[in-house]
Amino acid sequence: MKHSPDGDYALVIEDNGGGMSPESLRRCMSFGFSQKCTDTSIGQYGNGFKTSTMRLGADAIVFTCTKDNRRLTRSVGLLSYTFLMRTKCNDILVPAVDYEFDASSSTFKKIMNCGEKYFSSNMSTLLRWSPFSTEDELLNQFSDMECHGTKIIVFNLWFNDALEMELDFETDEQDIMISGAPEIRAGRNTVEWLTQMHVANRFRYSLRDYASILYLHVPERFQIILCGRAVEPHFVVNDLMYPECIKYRPQVEVTTEVDVITTIGYLRGAPRLDIYGFNVYHKNRLILPYWCAGSCNKQRRGIAGVLEANFMRPTHDKQDFERTGLFQRLETRLKDMATEYWTYHCHLVGYTQIAKRPPPAHYVSTTATHDDHNLVAQVTKNTRVYNSRARASLAFHPCSNGYPLHVDLDSLPDQVDCDACPSASINAGTTSYIPRNAPQQSQTELRRRKPCSEIFWRAQKRRNTNVYSDQPGSHSGTEEAEEGFRVVLDQNTMLKDECSGLEAAGKLLTSKADELRKELDVWRRVYKSLTDELQFYDGLEGLRRGGHHSNPGIGFI
């Protein structure tokens, strides 16, 4: 967006949230002040706004308005590196002015708690060092804002060593790019083109692609609009083939145990797609995008994963985690997880030159062929095994439809084993999920299990039968599995019918709620009309009494 007459670009960030009061604005623009002291907050250092805006440009002006306790205020503040350097200030000065709505005149009047001279000095500084030359131009920035919200304009944007602006506004009219981004040229082979166009590479220089993966799940009424066009959320779990859900229990020195669910799988296009990494989120916000835990070698190429690591602390710029022992153990665990996943799934994406390793006893599968999308398995009953590498007991995909999984392990039945639980598979191009599980295991098999074997084996049924056909009782085991399969199919049909009934009831309740809202609006209008009428008669009564008191000889008709 252009602001100055000479055509310089300025970056505008606007939201329609609650806005800030005059006091909150000054706290926001001061250094080291933060009210985010809860465990659900990311920023806790009080420097996020200052470091982010100053990284993009030399100056930033903030417009904010809020309505609090029937008080409607507007505030303008300036954080200017140019102003501080050219005036050689020894302290960081942040000029700010405030306005308050006056109901009697229906206008915004100046708030001069520190005197008119102080207000005029701040206004003079704002007009001199901002892109606006008059007070009217300054206040016109509120014209497209509601009674609450914030607008930030970052101007005097930085240039790189080649004297080019770091942000590229011209290459794509609906995106903001990083200058010097690699050019996508026609004529390249398909694999190389797909690799460059993949979000795992484009997020490094495209703001739209980065914003699309910034949140693990997006609230219902939240939307990011970039250059006039909404950003479509991109959920990485929907890109995965043969996804598995793995539980990792880190050694955190807290009273409550922490379980981290990692969804891992092959990206579509693997193994030719030369991409590897884990998207690590912290409290719903992306910290490490496509982090290469270990290194991207042949045994990890095409593998990606998603997890939310709330047990670690991010750095102050939210671009990394503090390099503690927890971080190092997580890196080692993800590296082993990717290697193990490749070991038992590489043949599914075309590694035919590698001999298939027979699955361990606890990886026996009761599923049908890979192309069958109507697979259901029976949840087995085993002894609970608690360790730092146990699999999570899941009944659906952890991030289906873009929402993360919240597993309450304590609420699961005691007879369900945390180590022998169903995993899920996403259909290509959809967000549906398919529960699957392994058959019942003996205690001997549990004791033989390797410590790092959490991947749920996804073997085909016919291959599974061939491997174990020479074992005693193999046919009876298959028949039992098929019987269990039919039982769960019936249960699945009943659950679908129940879900359909609940959806119909939900639609009915939604329509009733809409009708009640409309009725409430009608009564609110009636109430307002009656209130205005009452005020009118109260004023008339006061006028009548005043007239009788001042001149008793004059009456009213």
Side-chain angles (χ1 to χ4, degrees), residues 406-440:
H406 300 283
V407 183
D408 187 1
L409 296 174
D410 296 332
S411 63
L412 295 176
D414 292 339
Q415 66 270 20
V416 179
D417 181 21
C418 291
D419 281 343
C421 48
S423 57
S425 175
I426 294 181
N427 296 337
T430 68
T431 56
S432 60
Y433 58 86
I434 305 164
R436 285 189 257 182
N437 194 34
Q440 187 171 354

Coordinates of all heavy atoms in Angstrom, one line a residue, residues 406-440:
H406 N -7.2 -33.6 20.8 CA -7.0 -33.4 22.2 C -7.4 -34.7 22.9 O -8.6 -35.1 22.9 CB -7.9 -32.3 22.7 CG -7.6 -31.0 22.1 ND1 -6.5 -30.2 22.4 CD2 -8.2 -30.3 21.1 CE1 -6.5 -29.1 21.7 NE2 -7.5 -29.2 20.9
V407 N -6.4 -35.5 23.3 CA -6.7 -36.8 23.8 C -6.6 -36.8 25.3 O -5.7 -36.3 25.9 CB -5.6 -37.8 23.3 CG1 -5.8 -39.2 23.8 CG2 -5.5 -37.8 21.8
D408 N -7.7 -37.3 25.9 CA -7.7 -37.4 27.4 C -7.4 -38.8 27.7 O -8.3 -39.7 27.7 CB -9.1 -37.0 27.9 CG -9.2 -36.9 29.4 OD1 -8.1 -37.2 30.0 OD2 -10.2 -36.6 30.0
L409 N -6.2 -39.1 28.0 CA -5.7 -40.5 28.2 C -6.3 -41.0 29.5 O -6.6 -42.2 29.6 CB -4.2 -40.5 28.3 CG -3.5 -40.1 27.0 CD1 -2.0 -40.1 27.3 CD2 -3.8 -41.1 25.9
D410 N -6.6 -40.2 30.5 CA -7.2 -40.7 31.7 C -8.6 -41.1 31.6 O -9.1 -41.9 32.4 CB -7.1 -39.6 32.8 CG -5.6 -39.2 33.1 OD1 -4.8 -40.1 33.0 OD2 -5.4 -38.1 33.5
S411 N -9.3 -40.6 30.6 CA -10.7 -40.9 30.4 C -10.9 -42.2 29.6 O -12.0 -42.7 29.4 CB -11.4 -39.8 29.7 OG -10.9 -39.6 28.4
L412 N -9.8 -42.8 29.0 CA -9.9 -44.0 28.3 C -10.2 -45.2 29.2 O -9.8 -45.2 30.3 CB -8.6 -44.2 27.5 CG -8.3 -43.2 26.4 CD1 -7.0 -43.5 25.8 CD2 -9.4 -43.1 25.3
P413 N -10.9 -46.2 28.7 CA -11.2 -47.3 29.5 C -9.9 -48.0 29.9 O -8.9 -48.1 29.2 CB -12.1 -48.2 28.6 CG -12.6 -47.3 27.6 CD -11.6 -46.2 27.4
D414 N -9.9 -48.7 31.1 CA -8.7 -49.3 31.5 C -8.3 -50.5 30.7 O -7.2 -50.9 30.6 CB -8.9 -49.8 33.0 CG -9.0 -48.6 33.9 OD1 -8.5 -47.6 33.6 OD2 -9.6 -48.8 35.0
Q415 N -9.3 -51.1 30.0 CA -9.0 -52.3 29.2 C -8.4 -52.0 27.9 O -7.9 -52.9 27.2 CB -10.3 -53.2 29.0 CG -11.3 -52.5 28.1 CD -12.3 -51.7 28.9 OE1 -12.0 -51.3 30.0 NE2 -13.4 -51.4 28.3
V416 N -8.3 -50.7 27.5 CA -7.8 -50.3 26.2 C -6.3 -50.1 26.4 O -5.9 -49.3 27.3 CB -8.4 -49.1 25.6 CG1 -7.8 -48.7 24.3 CG2 -9.9 -49.4 25.4
D417 N -5.5 -50.7 25.6 CA -4.0 -50.6 25.8 C -3.5 -49.3 25.0 O -3.9 -49.0 23.9 CB -3.3 -51.8 25.1 CG -1.8 -51.7 25.3 OD1 -1.4 -51.0 26.2 OD2 -1.1 -52.4 24.5
C418 N -2.7 -48.5 25.7 CA -2.1 -47.4 25.1 C -1.1 -47.7 24.0 O -0.7 -46.9 23.2 CB -1.5 -46.5 26.1 SG -2.6 -45.7 27.2
D419 N -0.6 -49.0 24.0 CA 0.4 -49.4 23.1 C -0.3 -50.1 21.9 O 0.4 -50.4 20.9 CB 1.4 -50.3 23.7 CG 2.4 -49.6 24.5 OD1 2.5 -48.3 24.3 OD2 3.1 -50.2 25.3
A420 N -1.5 -50.5 22.0 CA -2.1 -51.3 20.9 C -3.4 -50.6 20.5 O -4.5 -51.0 20.9 CB -2.4 -52.7 21.2
C421 N -3.3 -49.5 19.9 CA -4.5 -48.6 19.6 C -4.6 -48.3 18.2 O -3.6 -48.5 17.4 CB -4.4 -47.4 20.4 SG -2.8 -46.6 20.2
P422 N -5.8 -47.9 17.7 CA -6.0 -47.7 16.3 C -5.2 -46.5 15.8 O -5.0 -45.5 16.5 CB -7.5 -47.5 16.1 CG -7.9 -47.0 17.5 CD -7.0 -47.6 18.5
S423 N -4.8 -46.5 14.5 CA -4.3 -45.4 13.9 C -5.2 -44.9 12.8 O -6.4 -45.3 12.8 CB -2.9 -45.7 13.2 OG -3.1 -46.8 12.4
A424 N -4.8 -44.1 11.9 CA -5.8 -43.5 10.9 C -5.1 -43.3 9.6 O -3.9 -43.3 9.5 CB -6.3 -42.2 11.5
S425 N -5.9 -43.2 8.6 CA -5.4 -43.0 7.2 C -6.3 -42.0 6.5 O -7.6 -42.1 6.6 CB -5.4 -44.3 6.5 OG -5.0 -44.1 5.1
I426 N -5.7 -41.0 5.9 CA -6.5 -40.0 5.2 C -6.7 -40.4 3.7 O -5.7 -40.8 3.1 CB -5.8 -38.6 5.3 CG1 -5.9 -38.2 6.7 CG2 -6.5 -37.6 4.4 CD1 -5.2 -36.9 7.0
N427 N -7.9 -40.3 3.2 CA -8.1 -40.5 1.7 C -7.4 -39.4 0.9 O -7.3 -38.3 1.4 CB -9.6 -40.6 1.4 CG -10.3 -41.7 2.1 OD1 -9.6 -42.7 2.5 ND2 -11.5 -41.6 2.3
A428 N -6.9 -39.8 -0.2 CA -6.2 -38.8 -1.1 C -7.2 -37.7 -1.4 O -8.2 -37.9 -2.0 CB -5.6 -39.4 -2.3
G429 N -6.8 -36.4 -1.2 CA -7.6 -35.3 -1.5 C -8.7 -35.0 -0.6 O -9.5 -34.1 -0.9
T430 N -8.9 -35.7 0.5 CA -10.0 -35.5 1.4 C -9.4 -35.4 2.8 O -8.2 -35.5 3.1 CB -11.0 -36.7 1.4 OG1 -10.4 -37.8 1.9 CG2 -11.4 -36.9 0.0
T431 N -10.3 -35.1 3.8 CA -9.9 -35.0 5.2 C -10.6 -36.1 6.0 O -10.7 -36.0 7.2 CB -10.3 -33.6 5.7 OG1 -11.7 -33.4 5.5 CG2 -9.5 -32.5 5.0
S432 N -11.2 -37.1 5.3 CA -11.8 -38.2 6.1 C -10.8 -39.1 6.7 O -9.6 -39.1 6.3 CB -12.7 -39.0 5.1 OG -11.9 -39.6 4.1
Y433 N -11.1 -39.9 7.7 CA -10.2 -40.7 8.4 C -10.7 -42.1 8.4 O -11.9 -42.4 8.3 CB -10.0 -40.2 9.8 CG -11.2 -40.1 10.6 CD1 -11.7 -41.2 11.3 CD2 -11.9 -38.9 10.7 CE1 -12.8 -41.1 12.1 CE2 -13.0 -38.8 11.5 CZ -13.5 -39.9 12.2 OH -14.6 -39.9 12.9
I434 N -9.8 -43.1 8.6 CA -10.2 -44.5 8.6 C -9.5 -45.2 9.8 O -8.3 -45.3 9.7 CB -9.7 -45.2 7.3 CG1 -10.3 -44.4 6.1 CG2 -10.2 -46.6 7.2 CD1 -9.6 -44.7 4.8
P435 N -10.2 -45.5 10.8 CA -9.6 -46.2 12.0 C -9.1 -47.5 11.6 O -9.8 -48.3 10.8 CB -10.7 -46.2 13.0 CG -11.8 -45.2 12.5 CD -11.6 -45.2 11.0
R436 N -8.0 -47.9 12.2 CA -7.4 -49.2 12.0 C -6.7 -49.6 13.3 O -6.3 -48.8 14.0 CB -6.5 -49.3 10.8 CG -7.1 -49.2 9.5 CD -6.1 -49.5 8.4 NE -5.8 -48.2 7.7 CZ -5.0 -48.2 6.7 NH1 -4.4 -49.2 6.2 NH2 -4.7 -47.0 6.2
N437 N -6.5 -51.0 13.4 CA -5.8 -51.4 14.6 C -5.2 -52.8 14.4 O -5.5 -53.4 13.4 CB -6.8 -51.5 15.8 CG -6.2 -51.6 17.1 OD1 -5.1 -51.1 17.2 ND2 -6.8 -52.3 18.0
A438 N -4.4 -53.2 15.3 CA -3.8 -54.6 15.2 C -4.6 -55.5 16.1 O -5.3 -55.1 17.1 CB -2.4 -54.5 15.7
P439 N -4.5 -56.8 15.9 CA -5.2 -57.8 16.7 C -4.6 -57.9 18.1 O -3.6 -57.3 18.4 CB -5.1 -59.1 15.9 CG -3.8 -58.9 15.1 CD -3.8 -57.5 14.8
Q440 N -5.2 -58.7 18.9 CA -4.8 -58.9 20.3 C -3.4 -59.5 20.4 O -3.1 -60.4 19.6 CB -5.8 -59.7 21.1 CG -5.6 -59.8 22.5 CD -6.7 -60.5 23.3 OE1 -7.7 -60.8 22.6 NE2 -6.5 -60.7 24.5

